[in-house]
Amino acid sequence: MSDLSIASLSEDIRSAIAELRARPEIENVGIVTRVGDGIAWIYGLSKAGFNEMLEIEGINSSTVTAFAFNLGQDEIGAVLMGEDNLVMAGATVRLSGKVLEIPVGPELVGRVIDPLGNPVDGGKPIKSSYSSRIERPAPGVLDRKSVFEPLMTGLVAIDAMVPIGRGQRELIIGDRQTGKTAIAVDTMINQARQKTGVINVYVAIGQKLSKLAALKERLTREGVMEQTIIIATSPADPAALLYLAPYAGATIGEYFRDNKQHALIVYDDLTKHAQAYRQMSLLLRRPPGREAYPGDVFYLHSRLLERSAKLSDELGGGSLTALPIIETQAGEISAYIPTNVISITDGQIFLENNLFYQGIRPAISVGQSVSRVGGAAQNKAIKAVAGGLKLSLAQFRELAAFSQFSTDLDPETRHTIERGQRLTELLKQNQYSPYSIWQMYAMLLAATRGTLDKVPLEKIKLAQEALLRELSQRHLKLTQELNSGNKPSEEQDKIILNVAKEVALGYLDETKDKPKNKESSV
């Protein structure tokens, strides 16, 4: 801090700085020169490190915790973890010798906590024997293994066309209220229903508390809360807590990853995280760049998402899978933050407004959704039947748009459109109802082999339910074998197709292909 800057301060602060300069412990003690908007500027503390915890003497003998964020030569900018009205200029600040940490371990499972590890669900205090730094380096290349184990979402459109593997980072992106959170929640529910043993970590960044309460109630009702940890922050929380929440969630997930287990972490959503970081950065007088975000906003998310990985066998083979969520404005996928996160992740699931309003849910855009892991993250059963599904749907949507301008279509085009309409209907799925592997395989096999082609479009969902019901009642052993994920045999395919043909006969359109009676037209 220059002499000119000090001269602009009040006389009391200048005298406190003069006394501090004469003390030998100036490296570990500082003076608050000014405070406001959740930021405290501190003179001294030359030994402070990034993210180091600071203890500020507050009003009425209280202690306010902050962490060092801007490290200058003589002055540092600290982000307050509590209310800034408890801190006054001239307050003494001391180094704690600790960096930001959070308790981790199995004791957190089933709880709702804040980014500092404090319970906010009204339950008992959490007594964990482990704690870990909120900011940790990501595993190196040699510590990783290629993604090969599928993480089933239970959503046919995703598991068949944009599969997710354990250790992958798959972005969920779309406008507000298009079903982004629903996809993540269904994936969490599927882990419990299929008994995969995957621990869910849901990070709510600036979400309404009423929404979080409803989510917790639903997860409890579905039996998912027993293997879920929720990190909650609301819009009323300081920007510091919104900034720390994703890193705290990653640290908790890493505990299970490093202990030979598998974890799934949902960041809902990183748009609010970037906004909180922008707010802190501007208050700390960092230079604004594009859309007023600081230049290191890419590093903000890259150092977070790189922590998700599939570890090598030497390190136990655990995994941390990330589903970051980004909210777009008017479908603008090429905006600053969306393009940043797209370039970090291993693919994206893009949700379209038009599809959502047409009732196609999940409203996944076939053309703009991709998984860069691809078939490596699919089990053999789904891979065998979903090979040409994405191409078929893409062709259908292109032809469907073209056919609006023409009434005379050749038989091949008409067949492609009718097949695509039925596939689209089959891919519609209600929330909180993920499918198991055998259910997905059976319905996709029946649809792609043409056994449901003559079923009227409005009855296709009824035929699908009947097919699954008949298989579960009459061929229970077959469904159990298919659920293993291994490639089905020709005999198993034959059984499914025969049942599908029987079901389709009961839903055939009686007026279709019926021979005309010439005499009746008189």
Side-chain angles (χ1 to χ4, degrees):
M1 195 171 188
S2 66
D3 292 337
L4 184 62
S5 300
I6 293 176
S8 64
L9 301 174
S10 66
E11 186 177 346
D12 293 340
I13 303 299
R14 291 202 305 270
S15 61
I17 290 175
E19 291 177 12
L20 184 65
R21 281 175 166 175
R23 295 169 65 177
E25 68 267 27
I26 186 173
E27 295 176 338
N28 299 315
V29 180
I31 295 289
V32 176
T33 58
R34 57 194 187 279
V35 63
D37 296 317
I39 304 295
W41 294 93
I42 303 166
Y43 175 80
L45 297 180
S46 56
K47 279 194 173 180
F50 181 69
N51 270 358
E52 185 168 355
M53 303 291 287
L54 311 177
E55 296 174 352
I56 305 175
E57 293 180 1
I59 300 174
N60 300 326
S61 303
S62 61
T63 300
V64 178
T65 305
F67 62 93
F69 206 68
N70 262 24
L71 301 178
Q73 186 173 356
D74 294 315
E75 187 180 45
I76 68 170
V79 181
L80 299 175
M81 305 292 287
E83 297 294 332
D84 56 10
N85 56 7
L86 297 176
V87 180
M88 299 289 288
T92 304
V93 188
R94 287 181 172 82
L95 293 180
S96 66
K98 299 178 181 178
V99 295
L100 283 166
E101 289 186 344
I102 186 173
V104 296
E107 295 85 1
L108 273 66
V109 177
R111 303 300 301 272
V112 183
I113 61 174
D114 67 10
L116 301 178
N118 305 309
V120 293
D121 55 3
K124 296 179 180 178
I126 297 172
K127 296 180 180 179
S128 176
S129 53
Y130 304 97
S131 62
S132 184
R133 293 185 175 187
I134 282 182
E135 290 267 13
R136 295 179 61 197
V141 175
L142 297 179
D143 296 333
R144 298 172 182 252
K145 188 176 182 179
S146 60
V147 175
F148 69 96
E149 296 172 288
L151 185 127
M152 304 297 291
T153 66
L155 300 169
V156 189
I158 294 177
D159 291 336
M161 296 189 293
V162 279
I164 301 172
R166 294 184 180 180
Q168 188 175 343
R169 302 153 301 175
E170 185 78 6
L171 172 65
I172 303 174
I173 184 169
D175 280 8
R176 183 175 176 271
Q177 297 292 329
T178 51
K180 301 185 298 297
T181 302
I183 288 177
V185 171
D186 281 353
T187 305
M188 293 162 59
I189 291 173
N190 195 54
Q191 306 314 306
R193 288 193 182 174
Q194 303 303 321
K195 299 179 181 179
T196 60
V198 174
I199 301 296
N200 303 310
V201 182
Y202 180 82
V203 183
I205 307 169
Q207 301 288 337
K208 291 180 181 177
L209 294 180
S210 58
K211 179 182 175 183
L212 285 176
L215 174 64
K216 181 178 183 293
E217 183 183 350
R218 184 73 200 206
L219 293 179
T220 304
R221 198 187 320 159
E222 297 285 346
V224 186
M225 204 61 203
E226 300 170 1
Q227 59 186 72
T228 301
I229 303 166
I230 296 178
I231 300 173
T233 59
S234 73
D237 287 329
L241 289 183
L242 273 64
Y243 161 75
L244 292 174
Y247 299 106
T251 300
I252 292 170
E254 283 174 333
Y255 169 84
F256 299 101
R257 181 200 70 190
D258 297 341
N259 284 277
K260 304 180 182 181
Q261 293 178 265
H262 302 281
L264 166 69
I265 185 164
V266 177
Y267 301 110
D268 192 6
D269 62 79
L270 290 186
T271 308
K272 293 186 179 70
H273 183 230
Q275 291 167 355
Y277 182 68
R278 175 173 61 183
Q279 178 183 333
M280 290 167 50
S281 298
L282 293 176
L283 289 171
L284 286 162
R285 299 183 180 177
R286 294 186 177 185
R290 179 177 166 187
E291 297 176 25
Y293 287 102
D296 62 342
V297 72
F298 179 87
Y299 180 57
L300 171 79
H301 288 149
S302 64
R303 75 176 189 262
L304 169 69
L305 294 171
E306 287 294 334
R307 294 166 70 175
S308 301
K310 168 68 178 173
L311 294 185
S312 63
D313 294 336
E314 291 77 12
L315 294 177
S319 70
L320 176 60
T321 309
L323 293 180
I325 296 175
I326 288 287
E327 183 181 303
T328 55
Q329 302 289 334
E332 188 57 58
I333 198 173
S334 59
Y336 188 30
I337 299 300
T339 50
N340 275 352
V341 182
I342 284 172
S343 62
I344 298 167
T345 51
D346 306 310
Q348 69 273 351
I349 298 167
F350 182 68
L351 303 179
E352 278 190 37
N353 284 343
N354 292 338
L355 296 177
F356 185 82
Y357 296 136
Q358 289 171 23
I360 301 172
R361 302 173 187 178
I364 296 173
S365 168
V366 179
Q368 292 179 287
S369 300
V370 65
S371 172
R372 297 188 183 95
V373 175
Q378 267 181 323
N379 59 53
K380 294 179 180 178
I382 303 300
K383 191 175 181 179
V385 77
L389 182 63
K390 192 172 183 180
L391 181 61
S392 299
L393 278 174
Q395 289 175 337
F396 154 66
R397 289 186 181 166
E398 186 177 347
L399 287 172
F402 174 75
S403 65
Q404 294 177 354
F405 304 101
S406 175
T407 55
D408 188 18
L409 300 175
D410 61 274
E412 186 178 347
T413 302
R414 188 177 298 278
H415 176 264
T416 302
I417 291 175
E418 290 182 353
R419 174 73 64 85
Q421 288 173 335
R422 282 152 181 78
L423 284 173
T424 302
E425 283 295 315
L426 286 174
L427 293 180
K428 289 181 183 178
Q429 200 165 335
N430 295 327
Q431 194 177 356
Y432 311 123
S433 57
Y435 289 123
S436 58
I437 296 173
W438 76 265
Q439 290 173 319
M440 286 190 274
Y441 181 81
M443 67 176 74
L444 288 175
L445 181 70
T448 54
R449 293 288 183 90
T451 54
L452 303 179
D453 280 357
K454 293 185 178 180
V455 177
L457 195 60
E458 64 274 8
K459 296 181 180 179
I460 199 75
K461 294 299 286 184
L462 295 173
Q464 171 194 336
E465 293 169 6
L467 170 63
L468 299 180
R469 185 171 58 249
E470 288 293 315
L471 286 172
S472 62
Q473 291 175 355
R474 291 164 46 190
H475 302 280
L476 181 61
K477 186 179 178 182
L478 170 67
T479 62
Q480 292 172 344
E481 291 173 351
L482 287 175
N483 237 20
S484 65
N486 296 324
K487 187 176 180 180
S489 64
E490 291 183 7
E491 186 63 31
Q492 290 172 323
D493 285 353
K494 189 175 180 182
I495 293 172
I496 294 171
L497 292 174
N498 285 338
V499 174
K501 288 174 184 176
E502 293 176 15
V503 169
L505 286 173
Y507 291 94
L508 288 182
D509 191 345
E510 296 178 359
T511 62
K512 193 174 184 179
D513 299 328
K514 186 176 181 180
K516 294 181 180 179
N517 188 350
K518 294 182 180 179
E519 296 178 0
S520 63
S521 61
V522 177

